[in-house]
Every structure is written in structure tokens, then in C-alpha cells.
Amino acid sequence: MSLVSLACADSDGELPREYRRMAVPEERLASVDAKARGQKLFLQHCALCHGERGDGQGVRREGLTRSPRDFTSAAWRGSTSPRRVYYAIREGVPSTPMPNWKALSEQDAWDMTAYVLSISERP
């Protein structure tokens, strides 16, 4: 478990300072209600590219310059952190088709983060 924490801490080191220092709302990330709200937002904003199951198989994946992230991947989950997911939602991912979602409130972005992180935990 400590190796996963170290890997996440290292990946957070690449984030801008404001995101590295951001408090992670652990209770919100574990909340069933937050995950349900995040799922609704994901289906509304993200499923076209990432797929309804978050497996990267959305209908808009064809023709993108880079395949959408597969959130069902345990390898991906082991290499990321809540801050990195939140950052990608808020700022987008440079050099990829992933846009920023600054139009979402911070609370909505954390709810979506909670849901995205939970996708790899489903059977």
C-alpha cells in the first residue's frame, strides 16, 4: 500500500503547485452520494468519448488523435491520484483531445473524480 502512496505522491509532483497543495476531500471521494452525482455528470459530459462504462470505448473515440483513457484499468488506477484526476477534469490534458471542464463547480469536479476513481473498483 505504501508503494501505491509513493507512486501517487510522485505523480502529484508533476502538477502545478496549487494542485499539489490542494486538500483532497477523502470523505467526499468515499461518499456513495458523491459517486452517484459524479456518475450523472460523467454520463452527461464524458461518456461520448470515454464510454458509458468508462472503458474508453465511447462513440466519439473514432477520429480522436489519442484514445480516451480507460478508467476500468487497474494499472491506470494504480498510477494516478485524486489530485491528478481532479486536475485533468479542471484543466484538461495538454496535447490530447481531453478538454477542461472549468464550467463545473469544484464540488462537481470532486464528485466526478470520486466516480472516475471508483470505476476501476467495479467487477
Side-chain angles (χ1 to χ4, degrees):
M1 187 69 151
S2 62
L3 292 177
V4 171
S5 297
L6 289 174
C8 290
D10 288 346
S11 68
D12 286 353
E14 299 172 7
L15 296 175
R17 178 176 290 182
E18 66 192 83
Y19 286 93
R20 286 193 315 261
R21 294 184 175 181
M22 179 177 288
V24 175
E26 298 292 343
E27 286 183 25
R28 184 178 210 108
L29 296 180
S31 165
V32 172
D33 291 337
K35 290 175 189 177
R37 287 188 302 269
Q39 182 180 25
K40 287 179 185 178
L41 291 164
F42 181 89
L43 291 172
Q44 181 180 4
H45 299 292
C46 310
L48 277 175
C49 295
H50 291 282
E52 289 184 13
R53 293 181 303 224
D55 57 5
Q57 300 299 309
V59 296
R60 284 199 54 211
R61 75 184 184 284
E62 299 296 325
L64 294 176
T65 57
R66 191 165 162 190
S67 296
R69 176 82 60 203
D70 176 1
F71 301 123
T72 65
S73 166
W76 168 79
R77 181 60 185 97
S79 68
T80 197
S81 71
R83 286 184 184 99
R84 287 189 67 77
V85 174
Y86 180 85
Y87 172 77
I89 292 167
R90 296 293 289 175
E91 303 293 335
V93 179
S95 303
T96 75
M98 175 65 188
N100 73 58
W101 290 101
K102 288 186 177 184
L104 295 175
S105 70
E106 289 182 23
Q107 293 80 13
D108 285 348
W110 279 117
D111 289 348
M112 194 182 299
T113 298
Y115 175 69
V116 166
L117 292 172
S118 75
I119 291 173
S120 66
E121 298 167 357
R122 291 184 290 176

